Amino acid sequence: MKSLRALHVLALLVTCACDKQSKSNKLTVGFSQIGAESAWRTAETDSIRSEAEKRGVDLKMSDAQQKQENQIRAIRTFIAQKVDAIILAPVIETGWEPVLREVKRAKIPVVLVDRGIKVSDESLYDTLIASDFVQEGRMAAEWLGKKLNGQGNIVELQGTAGAAPAIDRKKGFEEGLARFPGLKIVKSQSGDFTRSKGKEVMEAFLKAEGKNIKAVYAHNDDMALGAIQAIEEAGLKPGTDVIVVSIDGVKGAFEAMVAGKLNCSVECNPLLGPAAFDAVEAIRAGKPVPKKTIVKDELFDQSNARDVIASRKY
Ligand code: AHR
């Protein structure tokens, strides 16, 4: 009886020791997410969360509600928590140096996902995994130029001021438009990447320009979907009276293309979880990682939306 009890105690001790070991081997990663402003953003969050779960990573996620100061606060908390790595989706490009210097001093690797930053010292982050936003803007302009036969007035719904995709998608679009001198951007304003702001700004554009507007270029699908609502409420047909082109390729955009209301969406892949954790693991194993990994994107329009909608993952 005594020896049975002793065996039981021994078994308990072994289990505790194993538990401790697996806990200490578990990676802890802090993820500073921008917010939940768009369907794209939600898909990115889901991708990072599910990949962390798959790999047994303890993920500490913080939602910044589109404010840089919240992201900086979250990063300082991650340092205090001594996380093994930080994944950062930076809301805007500038203002990161002081906090990233603190991260570097704490010897915590930084993986940037989706948006880039401007820093004088590139060693403040390890790697960036993102789409080529300039190229997305160029693809949208090229498609629109052909659709409008190079003639017409365009209104532009920009993303969050100071954000890499807003800056680069504007730049790329303007570069693409240079080939079509008959196309003009007559109004351009930020809709902050949200559907409600996109609708609000489009209403103002329609009031000011009315039937003068031949097309809307929105820096993301959510703003385009908001603009579509505004166009309909103004008694016009989106997709016909006003051509709508945007970026992201989310499910809602495909549904709108199939319904004939959205004309074109340039994909921007948000499923960055696997690549982000591959990078974290490689850095921690001392393996070299590229400074930048560009995610490949495709263009979809009403000619192929119906064929691919069922296979879309976000
Ligand atoms: O940084 C990627 C952009 O941010 C997506 O296009 C947009 O939907 C999101 O909010």
Side-chain angles (χ1 to χ4, degrees):
M1 193 64 184
K2 256 190 187 167
S3 61
L4 206 70
R5 205 167 297 137
L7 255 177
H8 187 65
V9 171
L10 189 68
L12 264 175
L13 284 173
V14 170
T15 316
C16 287
C18 289
D19 255 18
K20 251 194 188 161
Q21 201 191 352
S22 68
K23 260 185 202 131
S24 64
N25 284 345
K26 197 171 181 168
L27 271 189
T28 301
V29 176
F31 172 35
S32 170
Q33 177 58 294
I34 292 168
E37 74 282 4
S38 61
W40 188 99
R41 184 73 42 208
T42 307
E44 187 195 48
T45 300
D46 290 349
S47 171
I48 302 246
R49 272 207 178 118
S50 65
E51 195 61 27
E53 215 178 290
K54 215 194 255 168
R55 297 183 190 216
V57 171
D58 176 12
L59 187 73
K60 301 196 178 304
M61 177 175 147
S62 167
D63 176 335
Q65 302 186 343
Q66 283 191 281
K67 290 199 173 75
Q68 185 181 37
E69 66 257 35
N70 291 344
Q71 292 203 283
I72 292 175
R73 209 171 304 126
I75 292 170
R76 292 203 167 114
T77 305
F78 295 152
I79 298 174
Q81 290 171 328
K82 297 190 169 33
V83 296
D84 298 306
I86 292 174
I87 299 177
L88 167 64
V91 61
I92 56 170
E93 282 188 333
T94 55
W96 297 102
E97 299 218 2
V99 75
L100 289 185
R101 256 185 254 121
E102 292 169 37
V103 177
K104 193 177 172 187
R105 272 199 296 275
K107 298 193 169 52
I108 300 173
V110 175
V111 173
L112 298 180
V113 284
D114 127 52
R115 297 184 183 180
I117 56 173
K118 286 216 152 47
V119 277
S120 57
D121 175 3
E122 297 272 305
S123 78
L124 291 177
Y125 66 91
D126 292 83
T127 186
L128 162 67
I129 303 157
S131 288
D132 183 341
F133 298 137
V134 177
Q135 179 60 10
E136 290 170 351
R138 280 192 207 114
M139 283 159 86
E142 176 112 346
W143 184 92
L144 191 58
K146 284 187 194 141
K147 178 78 183 172
L148 294 180
N149 291 322
Q151 285 298 322
N153 290 335
I154 304 163
V155 293
E156 179 183 31
L157 291 166
Q158 295 182 40
T160 304
I167 296 165
D168 292 351
R169 286 172 184 168
K170 180 165 188 52
K171 181 173 182 265
F173 190 73
E174 285 169 357
E175 276 177 23
L177 281 197
R179 281 190 43 220
F180 305 96
L183 288 182
K184 243 193 255 131
I185 300 175
V186 290
K187 290 263 181 243
S188 181
Q189 202 181 308
S190 172
D192 213 10
F193 282 129
T194 67
R195 189 184 288 221
S196 58
K197 254 310 197 56
K199 178 169 186 269
E200 195 184 304
V201 176
M202 188 64 199
E203 280 165 358
F205 285 168
L206 283 161
K207 255 192 205 131
E209 296 289 333
K211 291 196 171 145
N212 237 345
I213 301 170
K214 283 283 157 289
V216 190
Y217 165 51
H219 289 191
N220 82 344
D221 288 339
D222 279 71
M223 292 191 293
L225 295 172
I228 285 171
Q229 263 179 277
I231 295 165
E232 283 178 327
E233 284 172 22
L236 297 166
K237 271 184 108 182
T240 311
D241 297 331
V242 182
I243 302 301
V244 187
V245 50
S246 66
I247 297 175
D248 274 357
V250 297
K251 232 346 176 322
F254 275 83
E255 284 160 4
M257 282 193 277
V258 170
K261 298 180 181 191
L262 178 74
N263 300 82
C264 167
S265 183
V266 179
E267 181 187 45
C268 177
N269 192 340
L271 308 178
L272 304 178
F277 286 103
D278 280 352
V280 166
E281 286 175 9
I283 297 162
R284 287 196 47 84
K287 294 184 189 150
V289 286
K291 201 70 196 176
K292 187 169 181 178
T293 304
I294 302 212
V295 181
K296 214 177 147 333
D297 299 315
E298 284 176 58
L299 181 146
F300 299 94
D301 61 16
Q302 290 179 3
S303 71
N304 55 8
R306 195 180 292 277
D307 300 335
V308 292
I309 188 167
S311 65
R312 297 296 296 167
K313 292 200 173 68
Y314 63 94

